[in-house]
Amino acid sequence: MDLTKYLAIYAALLSTAVFAWNVSRARPKIRVKLIFAVEQVEGEYVHGVSVAVQNPSPHTVHLTNISLLYPWRRPTTKDYLEHIFRFRRWPSRIGWVHTSLSNYDIEDGCPVALELGTSHSVLVPEDKLEELLEDATKRRLKAVVQDALWRNKYSPTFEYPIIPKQSDDAEPASTAEIEQKDSAPEDAA
């Protein structure tokens, strides 16, 4: 092969790579994450889960809605097969219930326009999460963000733990006290 054929192959590969890069940058991208958070609300510190929406793309993204999902029932094999045949796609959220933040008096700040490299977050307080998870079969959450063109972006599943309640006058136990209670025999009364 002579030099012109090598140059033609190089040009074809380079133009294909540039085309793929341009296509990947042409669509707006949104990242949705659920994280533990503490925020100061009206002078008090409130803890819960924050829905963080990030825009790493070079385009402005217009958000219209932020919702939460929780598992309501355990789907059967029949449910999966019906979903595959009806919608012709793999079912990933069968048995999950979508609920709006406004159902729990939480302001989501939408509609909002996210510029390049900006983010938006909404705190869901712990008491609202407990109210939301009363009907759930498992203590799992997902968040979904919808843009102005009705495209949905889901967060990964977030495992929300059961946080034990302490009375107001009880002092937190030290590590040594906890280890001592764990190592004590149960029928030593």
Side-chain angles (χ1 to χ4, degrees):
M1 271 195 336
D2 57 341
L3 182 61
T4 56
K5 289 185 181 181
Y6 285 119
L7 288 175
I9 292 171
Y10 171 74
L13 291 175
L14 184 63
S15 65
T16 303
V18 169
F19 174 74
W21 183 73
N22 283 334
V23 167
S24 72
R25 304 227 346 132
R27 294 198 65 179
K29 293 178 181 65
I30 303 171
R31 278 192 294 222
V32 183
K33 296 180 182 179
L34 290 171
I35 56 173
F36 282 110
V38 176
E39 288 185 14
Q40 190 171 11
V41 178
E42 298 175 3
E44 286 188 35
Y45 288 101
V46 178
H47 71 280
V49 172
S50 180
V51 180
V53 184
Q54 302 166 340
N55 179 14
S57 69
H59 304 285
T60 301
V61 177
H62 301 278
L63 302 180
T64 59
N65 188 23
I66 299 174
S67 300
L68 290 176
L69 287 81
Y70 62 90
W72 180 65
R73 67 179 177 90
R74 186 180 178 126
T76 63
T77 306
K78 180 184 173 191
D79 293 334
Y80 282 112
L81 293 174
E82 284 178 356
H83 189 283
I84 289 171
F85 288 117
R86 183 174 177 194
F87 299 109
R88 291 176 178 75
R89 65 185 180 108
W90 185 254
S92 60
R93 289 172 288 278
I94 291 182
W96 289 73
V97 173
H98 288 68
T99 183
S100 176
L101 295 177
S102 63
N103 292 342
Y104 299 93
D105 298 325
I106 300 170
E107 188 65 37
D108 63 2
C110 290
V112 65
L114 288 181
E115 299 292 330
L116 160 70
T118 59
S119 65
H120 176 71
S121 65
V122 177
L123 178 71
V124 181
E126 188 255 344
D127 58 335
K128 303 290 183 179
L129 283 171
E130 292 298 333
E131 183 181 341
L132 177 115
L133 292 173
E134 282 179 357
D135 297 332
T137 58
K138 295 181 182 176
R139 297 182 62 82
R140 293 181 175 175
L141 290 171
K142 287 185 183 185
V144 60
V145 175
Q146 190 175 63
D147 68 2
L149 298 175
W150 294 3
R151 292 180 293 210
N152 293 332
K153 178 65 177 176
Y154 291 86
S155 72
T157 303
F158 181 80
E159 298 282 339
Y160 187 71
I162 298 174
I163 301 172
K165 300 276 185 186
Q166 288 187 353
S167 63
D168 293 338
D169 52 326
E171 300 219 4
S174 68
T175 308
E177 291 173 353
I178 293 172
E179 289 174 358
Q180 185 179 16
K181 286 180 183 178
D182 289 342
S183 64
E186 294 196 16
D187 47 324

